[in-house]
Amino acid sequence: MKHFRHVGLALVATFAMSQAGAEELTGTLKNIKDTGAITLGFRDSSIPFSYLDDNQKPIGFAMDICYKIVDAVKKELKLDKLEVKLNPVTSATRIPLMANGTIDLECGSTTNNAERQKQVAFTNTHFLTASRYVFKKSSGLKSIDDLKGKTVVSTAGTTNIKQLTEANVAKGLGANIIPAKDHAEAFLMVETDRAVAFVMDDILLASLVAGSKSPSDYVISKDAFSKPEPYGIMLRKDDPQFKKVVDAATAALYTSGEGEKIYDKWFMAKIPPKGLNLNTPISPELKHEFAKPSDSPNPDDYK
Amino acid sequence: MNYHWNWGIFFEPNPMGTGTYLDMLLSGLVLTLKTAALAWIIALIFGTAIGVLRTLPSKTASWIGFCWVEFFRNMPLLVQLFLWFFVLPELLPRSAGLWLKQLPNAPFWTAAIGIGFFMSARVAIQLQAGIGSLPRGQRMAATALGLTTFQGYRYVLLPMAFRIILPPLTSEFLNTIKNTAVAITIGLIELTGEARSMQEFSFQVFEAFTAATILYLLVNAVVVTAMRFLERWVAIPGYITGK
């Protein structure tokens, strides 16, 4: 179903004359203009980036950023009305739905790395996270070396399980690594003592702990398995026109100081539905990134 | 479609350092086959016992058979595996529960046994139908020959019933193989699990699942062919199952 918004088209036609050297629209931008709609892919439980609140409405840090991008697209295309469609995605469906044009932006907590850049593009980084582990206070772990010979869980197919495997070999830990299907299940493994620790992005661990039955039982490790890795909003590859608009929008948002305001709203205050507070101040690395926005997949670029 | 196809991905090294992506999928396939084989053995043993119980004249025996089948048949397999893996250890005394949780390869054993029991209910129903389809005279003739109930089943009823139900048993065996995919929910990273890992690492989702599909098809083709040979090998001329 395509809804042609003649109002928008007529307006654009009027302004197109005045645009000096107006480029021919291609890719996603052309699509958005033709249909008068943009589709955002959201995750249902990536707290606080993209998740459903108690009214089943997607909210979160990444969602707020996406809405800013939508405003910029609207302005760029000089549309007076732009319909925003919302489409749920999972880690398994985000690629096919991006490739077949169902979603235009993926607003979540997707790690931007070199392997994935062969398939999709990312805009400027909106978060940096390192691989740490969560454990029960009662297990008395002190450092990564204490994981020797223990059972450690991580989520299958994540960069975290890869780092854990590498550390296991490099440090000769001899830990028994078990893969879990998803984050919730992995956390359940620690909760039910099937594993002593769960290795994952620290911010995801923080939100799992905050949402657990007794948050005070858990500790997130100080030492990390990795350098901070970037999260980015995902878009289609080889779509330079759209990427330019999205990059400009996110860069403007982050450098203006508004990015930090939105950050504080989601990480330093109570968030719906349960009024959790993640209490995670903005890291110096992310502050630096906001000052000089970058879409690099390389962790070394974020120091 | 804005998708970057890369069929060469299978020969690229996987990030886990265990060889190529193809090696990853193959190690998943091995786990799928192991789980399915063990589950099928369990399903046959328990299914046969319960199927026989359900056809015995004894009220108690058929009641036990009825309970077993209804228990394993009426709950989704996904729920059953979750119950065995996450709930059962919490219901046991603390030390026993902890011992169960710390077992090495717990997901594998839980999946094999859980799927085995689930499928045993289906095998039992098939066998009951097979025995039920035999002429009543067969059971009587066995008794008239002086065979005990056990001998009657062992030498007359079961050999006939199993021949009759070989084709539906083939389907059940295929179902067992396909059902192992459910085991990813308890952290058994078999073929489907490895395909998912591959798509998470590389974002080459279509290649990963195409490969998994082909591997499942190949395995099932082998099973179907082998069962055809078995059917032909045990066929008795002159009967429904014979030529």
Side-chain angles (χ1 to χ4, degrees):
Chain A
M1 276 300 286
K2 284 195 176 181
H3 293 288
F4 287 93
R5 308 257 163 187
H6 293 291
V7 188
L9 286 176
L11 266 175
V12 168
T14 325
F15 285 107
M17 301 307 212
S18 62
Q19 271 189 329
E23 281 179 277
E24 184 71 26
L25 284 182
T26 57
T28 310
L29 279 185
K30 183 173 184 300
N31 252 336
I32 293 170
K33 198 173 147 186
D34 289 348
T35 57
I38 183 169
T39 310
L40 307 180
F42 67 89
R43 301 288 298 268
D44 62 1
S45 57
S46 288
I47 298 167
F49 296 93
S50 175
Y51 65 103
L52 292 170
D53 67 2
D54 34 0
N55 306 320
Q56 299 302 303
K57 187 173 142 280
I59 55 169
F61 181 51
M63 289 306 294
D64 282 0
I65 295 168
C66 274
Y67 283 121
K68 294 284 177 196
I69 297 172
V70 171
D71 290 343
V73 169
K74 200 167 143 184
K75 214 160 118 195
E76 172 74 17
L77 294 175
K78 303 192 172 58
L79 300 169
D80 58 346
K81 210 170 152 213
L82 176 57
E83 189 191 352
V84 178
K85 293 181 179 163
L86 298 164
N87 198 73
V89 297
T90 65
S91 61
T93 61
R94 59 192 168 186
I95 301 302
L97 292 176
M98 180 62 76
N100 72 11
T102 307
I103 59 171
D104 300 315
L105 291 166
E106 193 255 359
C107 321
S109 53
T110 303
T111 303
N112 171 357
N113 65 28
E115 277 110 306
R116 291 170 171 186
Q117 287 232 0
K118 291 175 189 160
Q119 187 62 266
V120 291
F122 292 89
T123 182
N124 295 311
T125 298
H126 60 271
F127 197 78
L128 291 164
T129 175
S131 214
R132 292 193 161 82
Y133 55 95
V134 69
F135 57 95
K136 279 187 175 168
K137 261 184 199 146
S138 54
S139 63
L141 298 174
K142 295 270 185 301
S143 70
I144 290 183
D145 293 331
D146 290 345
L147 298 173
K148 265 201 171 70
K150 299 267 200 319
T151 300
V152 185
V153 66
S154 187
T155 311
T158 54
T159 41
N160 316 76
I161 198 165
K162 171 184 153 195
Q163 287 148 356
L164 171 61
T165 314
E166 283 164 359
N168 200 22
V169 175
K171 293 176 187 265
L173 295 177
N176 169 29
I177 298 170
I178 45 176
K181 172 179 65 93
D182 53 33
H183 306 327
E185 196 220 353
F187 190 74
L188 188 63
M189 295 246 187
V190 174
E191 202 168 21
T192 58
D193 301 311
R194 276 186 179 270
V196 293
F198 167 28
V199 177
M200 193 30 61
D201 296 349
D202 47 15
I203 190 63
L204 295 178
L205 292 177
S207 71
L208 284 164
V209 168
S212 71
K213 282 201 289 284
S214 48
S216 57
D217 287 1
Y218 301 95
V219 190
I220 294 171
S221 68
K222 289 273 180 293
D223 45 4
F225 280 92
S226 70
K227 299 187 177 104
E229 296 195 326
Y231 280 177
I233 308 269
M234 195 167 74
L235 46 143
R236 265 181 292 279
K237 205 173 136 76
D238 304 325
D239 192 354
Q241 247 185 20
F242 185 55
K243 187 168 187 327
K244 206 170 111 189
V245 176
V246 176
D247 283 350
T250 49
L253 178 71
Y254 301 154
T255 49
S256 69
E258 206 184 339
E260 216 169 316
K261 272 204 198 83
I262 300 178
Y263 178 96
D264 289 343
K265 171 181 157 189
W266 293 102
F267 293 89
M268 297 299 288
K270 284 187 173 173
I271 53 170
K274 288 194 230 162
L276 291 176
N277 187 336
L278 293 172
N279 267 328
T280 310
I282 189 162
S283 67
E285 291 89 355
L286 188 59
K287 233 183 153 80
H288 183 251
E289 198 279 332
F290 276 6
K292 283 197 183 142
S294 150
D295 63 358
S296 160
N298 184 355
D300 291 334
D301 295 347
Y302 298 93
K303 280 193 181 127
Chain B
M1 208 40 188
N2 178 317
Y3 185 81
H4 170 73
W5 291 95
N6 176 10
W7 291 103
I9 186 80
F10 300 111
F11 306 104
E12 288 173 23
N14 72 51
M16 300 298 287
T18 52
T20 60
Y21 278 111
L22 185 64
D23 292 330
M24 225 166 101
L25 291 175
L26 292 178
S27 74
L29 177 66
V30 169
L31 201 50
T32 289
L33 295 176
K34 278 186 186 164
T35 314
L38 184 55
W40 185 235
I41 292 166
I42 293 170
L44 276 183
I45 294 170
F46 283 87
T48 306
I50 300 297
V52 168
L53 281 183
R54 285 176 64 107
T55 58
L56 287 175
S58 147
K59 275 266 189 304
T60 322
S62 63
W63 184 78
I64 293 171
F66 169 84
C67 288
W68 179 278
V69 166
E70 294 313 314
F71 180 79
F72 287 109
R73 189 168 63 165
N74 293 337
M75 237 190 305
L77 177 59
L78 198 78
V79 176
Q80 287 189 33
L81 287 187
F82 196 84
L83 285 179
W84 297 140
F85 194 70
F86 285 113
V87 181
L88 179 71
E90 304 301 320
L91 300 177
L92 295 172
R94 192 164 158 70
S95 58
L98 212 58
W99 173 82
L100 202 60
K101 289 174 190 171
Q102 311 291 1
L103 273 184
N105 294 334
F108 168 75
W109 297 109
T110 313
I113 296 168
I115 295 168
F117 281 173
F118 175 79
M119 295 306 297
S120 76
R122 304 179 54 110
V123 172
I125 295 288
Q126 302 274 14
L127 186 63
Q128 189 194 355
I131 294 172
S133 72
L134 296 172
R136 277 178 49 219
Q138 296 228 343
R139 191 189 289 262
M140 296 171 186
T143 315
L145 283 171
L147 297 177
T148 61
T149 309
F150 176 80
Q151 287 170 323
Y153 272 92
R154 163 72 185 82
Y155 295 106
V156 181
L157 299 176
L158 288 182
M160 287 306 302
F162 269 122
R163 281 180 170 82
I164 291 170
I165 63 165
L166 261 186
L169 275 188
T170 306
S171 298
E172 296 301 346
F173 189 15
L174 298 180
N175 279 338
T176 308
I177 295 168
K178 288 180 292 191
N179 278 339
T180 54
V182 172
I184 46 177
T185 53
I186 56 168
L188 185 77
I189 304 301
E190 36 59 79
L191 181 50
T192 305
E194 291 288 13
R196 277 178 43 164
S197 290
M198 177 175 166
Q199 74 109 18
E200 288 287 295
F201 282 135
S202 67
F203 274 18
Q204 301 290 13
V205 51
F206 296 116
E207 290 88 340
F209 281 96
T210 305
T213 307
I214 291 169
L215 288 173
Y216 276 117
L217 284 173
L218 283 176
V219 169
N220 285 355
V222 169
V223 169
V224 168
T225 317
M227 290 297 277
R228 282 283 143 73
F229 275 110
L230 181 67
E231 276 170 45
R232 233 174 276 162
W233 185 58
V234 299
I236 299 171
Y239 283 98
I240 8 174
T241 56
K243 285 282 172 301

